[in-house]
Amino acid sequence: EGATWTYQAIAPDVRDWIKIYAGPPVSSPTEGYPNIVYASAPSPISTPDSVIYPQPDHQSLYKSLNGGSTWESVGDGGLTLNPTDEVDAGLASATTCPSTEWVIFGDGVVGSDGTVYLGLRMCTELAIAISKDEGATWRTIVVPGSTLASFKSILSPLTTNNLLQSEPVAVDSANNLYAIWNDAAGLVRLSVSMDHGVTWNAGAGPLVVSAPGLQTIYSAIAVKAPGTVAIAYYGSSDGKQYDGYIAESLDVTAAQPLFWSAAANDPADPLFTAGFDTGYAEGTTGDLVEFVQVRYAPSGDI
C-alpha cells in the first residue's frame, strides 16, 4: 500500500510517455496477482523530431505476469505503425500520413476477456489497435467518422498544440468499447461499439457530447458500469478563456443517450485565462497543457 517500493528499468528502448494498465490474462498463468500488467511507450521517443531525436517508429510493449516484479517484451518488440508508411492490415483502406502528421498511441485498457485496446492518433483519425492474445499480434481499426484536428507544420508539436488523444478509449464489464476525441470543429465526440470495434453507434455516426456553444480541446473518458461514463474536457465560449468540464451519461448505449455537462470550476475563475500555449516553443511563456484525465472513485463519485 505504498509503504515500501522497489523499482526496475523495464523499457530501455524508450525515452518518454510510458503507460501502465492491467487486465485479466487470456492464456498465461499469473503469479501473486490476478491480472497481467502491461506497459507501453513509443520508441525511441514520442515526439517526431528529426533534429534532436529519431522519429518514433513503433510502440514498445512489455508485460508482467507477477504484478510488476519482472517484465518481458511482447509482440516481437512491439506494435509497428509508421507515420510515413502504410499501416497494418485490418484498416478498411491503407493509410499514409502526410509529412505534417504522425502516429502516437494513448493509454491502453483491457477487457474482462483479456482483449487489449490501445487508442492512437492515426494521422487525422482516431484508431484502435486490438490484441486478443496478450499483445502477441494486433489488428488496427479506424473509428468511423473520427476526423481529428490536423497539425499545421512538419515541426509539430513545436508550432501547434500537441492535439494528443491521451486517454481516448474505455471498456466496461460487458466489454462495450467507448472511444472519445476532439474533432476538427472543436467538438467532443463519442462512439460506442458493442461488438469489439466491428460496428459503432449502430451506424448512426459519432455523438456530440460537449456542451452547446463550446470550443473544446483535450478529452478523456472513464467508465463506471455498462452505459455509465464520465467525460472530462476543456471548453471555451470565446476561444480564449477555458474552463474544465465534466459530462456524464447513465444510458450511453441507448439509441438517444442523455448527457449532463457542467463546468468543474467557477466560470468567474477560468482555469486558463488566455487560452493554451502553442506547442513546446511557447512553454516558457505560460501554461503548457497536454492532458486531461477523469476517474470514478469506488464510491461512484467523479
Side-chain angles (χ1 to χ4, degrees), residues 282-301:
E282 302 296 326
T284 59
T285 62
D287 295 315
L288 174 65
V289 179
E290 295 184 279
F291 308 112
V292 62
Q293 294 178 304
V294 62
R295 295 288 185 272
Y296 275 101
S299 65
D301 293 340

Side-chain angles (χ1 to χ4, degrees), residues 101 121-127 142-151 163 165 180-191 206 216:
E101 289 297 335
R121 179 187 177 94
M122 170 68 74
C123 312
T124 54
E125 295 178 296
L126 180 67
V142 167
V143 179
S146 58
T147 303
L148 308 179
S150 61
F151 287 121
L163 303 176
Q165 301 298 130
I180 193 169
W181 66 95
N182 303 77
D183 71 10
L187 304 175
V188 181
R189 298 270 186 174
L190 172 70
S191 278
T216 74

Side-chain angles (χ1 to χ4, degrees), residues 1-275:
E1 298 180 353
T4 60
W5 294 83
T6 60
Y7 69 90
Q8 182 182 17
I10 67 172
D13 58 328
V14 303
R15 291 188 177 94
D16 190 22
W17 202 23
I18 198 166
K19 301 95 171 171
I20 305 291
Y21 42 100
V26 176
S27 58
S28 298
T30 59
E31 178 184 344
Y33 184 69
N35 290 329
I36 292 179
V37 187
Y38 294 94
S40 61
S43 182
I45 197 169
S46 65
T47 305
D49 183 354
S50 58
V51 177
I52 301 175
Y53 294 111
Q55 294 278 8
D57 62 9
H58 70 280
Q59 184 81 353
S60 288
L61 183 69
Y62 295 83
K63 73 178 181 181
S64 173
L65 302 179
N66 53 16
S69 295
T70 59
W71 296 80
E72 62 185 79
S73 181
V74 184
D76 194 26
L79 174 58
T80 299
L81 283 174
N82 292 330
T84 56
D85 295 342
E86 290 188 347
V87 299
D88 294 351
L91 294 169
S93 60
T95 302
T96 301
C97 287
S99 60
T100 56
E101 289 297 335
W102 47 301
V103 172
I104 187 166
F105 290 77
D107 204 359
V109 294
V110 186
S112 62
D113 60 354
T115 301
V116 182
Y117 302 94
L118 288 175
L120 63 136
R121 179 187 177 94
M122 170 68 74
C123 312
T124 54
E125 295 178 296
L126 180 67
I128 302 175
I130 303 171
S131 176
K132 294 187 176 183
D133 53 13
E134 301 175 1
T137 60
W138 297 86
R139 66 183 180 94
T140 305
I141 62 170
V142 167
V143 179
S146 58
T147 303
L148 308 179
S150 61
F151 287 121
K152 301 296 190 292
S153 166
I154 197 170
L155 297 177
S156 296
L158 287 176
T159 57
T160 62
N161 283 316
N162 252 357
L163 303 176
L164 300 175
Q165 301 298 130
S166 58
E167 296 193 350
V169 178
V171 63
D172 65 27
S173 58
N175 290 313
N176 298 315
L177 187 61
Y178 307 86
I180 193 169
W181 66 95
N182 303 77
D183 71 10
L187 304 175
V188 181
R189 298 270 186 174
L190 172 70
S191 278
V192 183
S193 175
M194 303 174 74
D195 53 14
H196 299 278
V198 177
T199 60
W200 294 84
N201 284 4
L207 304 168
V208 175
V209 298
S210 48
L214 294 180
Q215 183 80 13
T216 74
I217 189 169
Y218 303 119
S219 57
I221 185 169
V223 63
K224 176 182 177 182
T228 300
V229 299
I231 296 160
Y233 60 95
Y234 298 114
S236 174
S237 58
D238 61 6
K240 182 178 179 181
Q241 294 189 148
Y242 278 79
D243 299 304
Y245 283 83
I246 296 289
E248 186 180 34
S249 175
L250 308 182
D251 60 354
V252 73
T253 55
Q256 292 183 307
L258 174 66
F259 288 86
W260 297 90
S261 192
N265 58 283
D266 184 345
D269 184 18
L271 296 184
F272 303 99
T273 58

